[in-house]
Amino acid sequence: ETGVTQSPTHLIKTRGQQVTLRCSSQSGHNTVSWYQQALGQGPQFIFQYYREEENGRGNFPPRFSGLQFPNYSSELNVNALELDDSALYLCASSLPGAEQYFGPGTRLTVT
Amino acid sequence: DAKTTQPPSMDCAEGRAANLPCNHSTISGNEYVYWYRQIHSQGPQYIIHGLKNNETNEMASLIITEDRKSSTLILPHATLRDTAVYYCIVRVAREWGGTASKLTFGTGTRLQVTL
């Protein structure tokens, strides 16, 4: 059984640029959630996707957007990057309503 | 989701039981208690969850008080590899969609296991 994988591992971008992060869900899981974790804080919920549609969103602006594909993999897109977007971005997969299993994360640095 | 309160840090000697408390006095009847841990710079790892009965798996035991206002995660024989931040989270049971889908992480308990 393959766990949740994320790519890339690390990324450095400049303020104002756009970034795309990728997540492959655990086998059999059709729900993907994305979280942002700033240094020294707990993860904060960004949004969740189920059957290719956004299915819940946290307190993040519209420049944070996502996609889910028919194979349940997902992308997180962030436009107009700001310095405060520097964080660890975590993807978690699950069956609907069940416990979520996290990937290793993507460390984004915005300079 | 109900708020949780955890001590910011705890120490435990290797080989001893680690007992991590969590207070969730405003928990609702349909909310489960979940525990996750996060080892430095890695993604959170699911440990265990329960509604009102005590639960045990290969990683830990979860003891929930009868009034469900608090719980304790027990690592029976802590090792150095159990050093991590432990998060106690309450979440609506088996409900998904909208904000009910999310896990709300607090600041957790930093457990340091020492020789």
Side-chain angles (χ1 to χ4, degrees):
Chain A
E1 182 180 276
T2 304
V4 179
T5 60
Q6 292 186 243
S7 63
T9 305
H10 296 87
L11 200 56
I12 300 175
K13 289 285 189 178
T14 303
R15 188 172 50 183
Q17 286 187 316
Q18 177 266 342
V19 69
T20 298
L21 310 181
R22 295 178 175 81
C23 170
S24 292
S25 60
Q26 184 169 313
S27 178
H29 288 178
N30 54 16
T31 302
V32 174
S33 303
W34 285 91
Y35 293 79
Q36 179 196 66
Q37 186 173 24
L39 199 61
Q41 299 181 19
Q44 300 296 308
F45 176 73
I46 302 174
F47 45 53
Q48 181 181 91
Y49 277 82
Y50 171 68
R51 291 185 175 179
E52 303 177 54
E53 292 193 3
E54 189 178 291
N55 188 37
R57 189 178 184 92
N59 189 27
F60 280 81
R63 60 189 186 85
F64 286 78
S65 63
L67 286 173
Q68 187 180 31
F69 301 99
N71 66 354
Y72 306 134
S73 66
S74 177
E75 288 182 354
L76 165 65
N77 299 290
V78 186
N79 294 321
L81 283 168
E82 302 177 0
L83 296 179
D84 285 348
D85 295 333
S86 294
L88 181 67
Y89 287 86
L90 296 158
C91 163
S93 76
S94 67
L95 293 172
E99 56 272 17
Q100 298 180 11
Y101 292 88
F102 285 80
T106 294
R107 173 74 61 188
L108 173 65
T109 301
V110 182
T111 61
Chain B
D1 292 342
K3 292 183 179 178
T4 62
T5 304
Q6 299 177 253
S9 63
M10 295 182 64
D11 293 328
C12 179
E14 189 176 36
R16 304 297 294 269
N19 298 289
L20 293 94
C22 179
N23 182 286
H24 32 79
S25 58
T26 59
I27 193 170
S28 299
N30 64 347
E31 288 181 315
Y32 278 78
V33 180
Y34 283 77
W35 283 84
Y36 282 77
R37 72 181 183 184
Q38 188 171 27
I39 296 169
H40 184 63
S41 296
Q42 298 181 21
Q45 178 187 22
Y46 166 77
I47 301 174
I48 199 168
H49 73 282
L51 182 63
K52 55 182 179 181
N53 298 318
N54 298 338
E55 302 287 345
T56 295
N57 63 20
E58 65 279 4
M59 289 184 66
S61 294
L62 173 60
I63 309 298
I64 302 174
T65 58
E66 193 168 342
D67 64 7
R68 303 210 321 122
K69 293 184 176 182
S70 64
S71 60
T72 300
L73 178 75
I74 301 172
L75 308 178
H77 305 286
T79 71
L80 297 178
R81 287 179 294 181
D82 293 321
T83 293
V85 177
Y86 288 77
Y87 295 100
C88 169
I89 299 165
V90 292
R91 179 182 180 223
V92 176
R94 295 294 178 185
E95 185 171 327
W96 58 278
T99 56
S101 308
K102 67 180 181 180
L103 294 171
T104 301
F105 290 82
T107 53
T109 295
R110 184 171 299 277
L111 175 68
Q112 180 68 53
V113 181
T114 57
L115 292 171

